[in-house]
Amino acid sequence: MRRSLASILEGFPAVRPADPVAFAGLAGRLGAARRMLVVLDDDPTGTQSVVDLPVLARWRVEDLEWAIDSGAPAAYVLTNSRALEARAAEQVNREVVAAAVTAGRSRGVGIAFVSRSDSTLRGHFPLEPDVISDALVEAGEPRPSGVVLVPAFPEAGRVTVGGVHYAGARDGYAPVGESEFARDPTFGYRSSRLADWVEERSGGGISAASVVEIGLETNRSGPEAVAEALRAAGDGSTIVVDAVEEDDLRQFALGLDLVEAEGRSYVYRVGPPFVRARIGQERREPLDAAEFADPVSGGGSRGLPASRGGLVVVGSHVGLTSRQLEHLVAQRPEARVVELDVPAVLDPATARDALDEATLAVVRGLEEGDAILHSSRTLIRADDPEESLAISRAVSDALVQIVRRAVALTRPRFVVAKGGITSSDVATRGLSIARAVVRGSLFPGIVSLWEPADGPAQGIPYVVFAGNVGAEATLAEAVEKLSER
């Protein structure tokens, strides 16, 4: 049963605005301490809450050094680990930590690690924070004091109140364990109370009773109260945090800053807006058409013909994405809609023909205007979570092949990728983006625009659109905004 946010918040203290001077000083204090946040982003949608930060789709030491040399207080490393099985996710996390520590030492900068994941609790937990902690010790660094879990994403309707995490929209909020996200074939769960969810996901390895809860009563009492709660938590604790408003995240970030100045450190397992709060970055107005990068005329150095339209790639299967896709198609009847037949792609006997037909249709669509490429909407599941993940990867691989082959023949005016796995694979393997800069969001706090810094996509606006954010019209509105350029 859905409830209004006002009814959920009954009896809790009112939000307390963060001290603007102290908040504005967070980035400066990170710089003065020669520290940088490295965000291991398990899909690229974590960047939608920040601006003007470097993004890496590779994690060579020289790539991390490039990010450090930018002078930014944080950098994102796109691991795409949510699309990987546990063993591969562990390996990727270890590699990133090792490269980041090495790069930090070469530049005289200390690295703090953020494990950015889904605000609806899907992903490899507690595996990834545990691996980061272990990898730091293996690299000769101190073990972090604990893991801080802050999945709240208020702009997308994800809030935590009284230790319970909610997913909501205009029609009300429901405990996240009752949402469609909890039925994910790979990362499904039952619990909505974060302490119980930690116990469930850890297989009982971390008991709910041992989890430290920092509620709104503490958070809204100010940074000193937050700092006291953090000091009282024992080493190795998992700490879950209530947050409903941006100022809740800011108050918590200021409390963290106090205890970290005393020598404590944490691995942060968080939703998208936490990084913005931790580095003292103000929320920016959404980008308008005049701020988008212009495509390189004539297709750039490759001499490709510039297409008349943009490419929209939709891989996510959550219900919201399907409704957004339906609305987009209805609003843009002139666009070429190309449906990838998933059963045909999964069948070796028909896969090649299915890919060839879809690629040709996309290229022809871009020559005439916009092209919308999407996987068929029936989600194919397997009984085993690893098999379900393998099916998702196979579908994403097919979409990537089509994008890569299409952009080798024509240059889209823009590319929008819908869904976490999809947006990662399209960026790294479809468009060969290795380095980029997040320029901002298309809507308040959601849907980020990247400026590729290298590769064949340089000069093409690339939009990362999470599968689980926005209203039914948001995807169509994004395409309309991009088309105004």
Side-chain angles (χ1 to χ4, degrees):
M1 178 179 176
R2 289 185 173 270
R3 300 168 56 194
S4 69
L5 186 57
S7 69
I8 293 170
L9 288 171
E10 283 183 9
F12 288 94
V15 65
R16 175 173 174 169
D19 182 328
V21 175
F23 179 72
L26 282 173
R29 289 193 290 279
L30 280 170
R34 301 284 295 165
R35 294 180 71 227
M36 181 185 200
L37 270 61
V38 169
V39 185
L40 286 75
D41 203 357
D42 72 352
D43 78 12
T45 63
T47 60
Q48 61 193 311
S49 296
V50 296
V51 299
D52 296 334
L53 296 181
V55 180
L56 302 174
R58 257 184 350 215
W59 41 91
R60 299 172 184 170
V61 172
E62 56 265 34
D63 295 317
L64 272 300
E65 289 173 338
W66 172 81
I68 293 171
D69 291 344
S70 73
Y76 283 74
V77 180
L78 178 56
T79 67
N80 200 31
S81 58
R82 205 183 306 170
L84 304 177
E85 61 184 16
R87 185 175 300 177
E90 177 179 350
Q91 180 62 28
V92 166
N93 276 258
R94 288 187 183 280
E95 290 174 0
V96 174
V97 171
V101 169
T102 300
R105 287 171 178 166
S106 76
R107 295 298 194 262
V109 171
I111 305 296
F113 287 93
V114 180
S115 179
R116 205 294 302 181
S117 193
D118 182 36
S119 63
T120 57
L121 306 181
R122 297 168 298 172
H124 292 289
F125 180 91
L127 173 73
E128 290 181 314
D130 288 348
V131 169
I132 291 171
S133 295
D134 290 344
L136 279 167
V137 174
E138 291 163 6
E141 298 292 318
R143 181 173 291 279
S145 307
V147 173
V148 169
L149 179 61
V150 193
F153 188 4
E155 293 100 329
R158 281 33 129 191
V159 299
T160 309
V161 181
V164 176
H165 197 53
Y166 294 87
R170 294 177 182 175
D171 60 344
Y173 289 72
V176 72
E178 300 173 11
S179 71
E180 64 174 306
F181 310 113
R183 299 190 294 274
D184 186 89
T186 303
F187 299 110
Y189 54 90
R190 298 182 305 277
S191 304
S192 298
R193 180 173 172 250
L194 289 180
D196 294 334
W197 177 83
V198 168
E199 180 173 303
E200 178 184 347
R201 291 296 300 164
S202 67
I206 306 171
S207 70
S210 72
V211 174
V212 177
E213 295 179 311
I214 296 182
L216 287 180
E217 299 89 346
T218 300
N219 223 353
R220 293 181 173 181
S221 295
E224 284 291 351
V226 170
E228 278 303 311
L230 290 169
R231 294 183 190 111
D235 284 345
S237 294
T238 298
I239 302 161
V240 302
V241 182
D242 279 8
V244 177
E245 305 277 356
E246 181 78 6
D247 276 308
D248 295 327
L249 296 170
R250 293 180 176 188
Q251 294 285 12
F252 184 71
L254 289 168
L256 270 175
D257 187 56
L258 292 175
V259 298
E260 289 182 338
E262 300 166 357
R264 299 182 71 83
S265 65
Y266 300 90
V267 175
Y268 312 127
R269 179 71 169 190
V270 297
F274 173 87
V275 173
R276 179 177 63 206
R278 183 63 189 90
I279 64 174
Q281 190 172 88
E282 292 288 347
R283 285 191 288 193
R284 306 283 179 86
E285 290 297 315
L287 297 167
D288 59 36
E291 296 175 285
F292 300 159
D294 288 326
V296 178
S297 61
S301 60
R302 295 186 300 153
L304 295 178
S307 70
R308 295 184 61 186
L311 174 60
V312 181
V313 186
V314 180
S316 169
H317 277 90
V318 299
L320 176 59
T321 290
S322 295
R323 295 190 296 273
Q324 289 171 334
L325 173 61
E326 183 178 351
H327 186 83
L328 171 65
V329 171
Q331 291 296 307
R332 303 190 79 81
E334 74 284 358
R336 176 71 68 93
V337 180
V338 182
E339 179 175 324
L340 179 65
D341 186 342
V342 171
V345 167
L346 296 176
D347 184 347
T350 56
R352 182 172 180 176
D353 287 344
L355 291 174
D356 288 346
E357 291 173 10
T359 301
L360 180 59
V362 167
V363 171
R364 287 178 175 171
L366 289 171
E367 291 170 349
E368 300 165 358
D370 294 336
I372 302 169
L373 170 65
H374 69 90
S375 56
S376 50
R377 295 290 86 194
T378 300
L379 178 61
I380 298 177
R381 298 172 179 259
D383 292 334
D384 179 67
E386 295 289 353
E387 290 181 20
S388 291
L389 195 57
I391 292 170
S392 296
R393 285 198 300 268
V395 174
S396 188
D397 286 345
L399 292 171
V400 163
Q401 287 188 55
I402 295 166
V403 171
R404 185 169 59 240
R405 291 159 67 178
V407 298
L409 298 172
T410 188
R411 185 176 178 84
R413 295 185 66 232
F414 58 83
V415 177
V416 178
K418 188 78 167 72
I421 294 175
T422 303
S423 54
S424 174
D425 286 348
V426 168
T428 58
R429 299 194 289 124
L431 300 176
S432 301
I433 297 172
R435 298 175 179 178
V437 177
V438 187
R439 286 307 180 201
S441 63
L442 298 190
F443 306 99
I446 61 171
V447 187
S448 59
L449 184 141
W450 294 5
E451 181 182 329
D454 58 4
Q458 189 170 8
I460 299 176
Y462 181 63
V463 174
V464 177
F465 200 137
N468 58 6
V469 303
E472 289 190 9
T474 307
L475 179 57
E477 291 168 356
V479 174
E480 180 63 28
K481 182 177 283 195
L482 290 159
S483 299
E484 293 172 356
R485 297 166 52 252

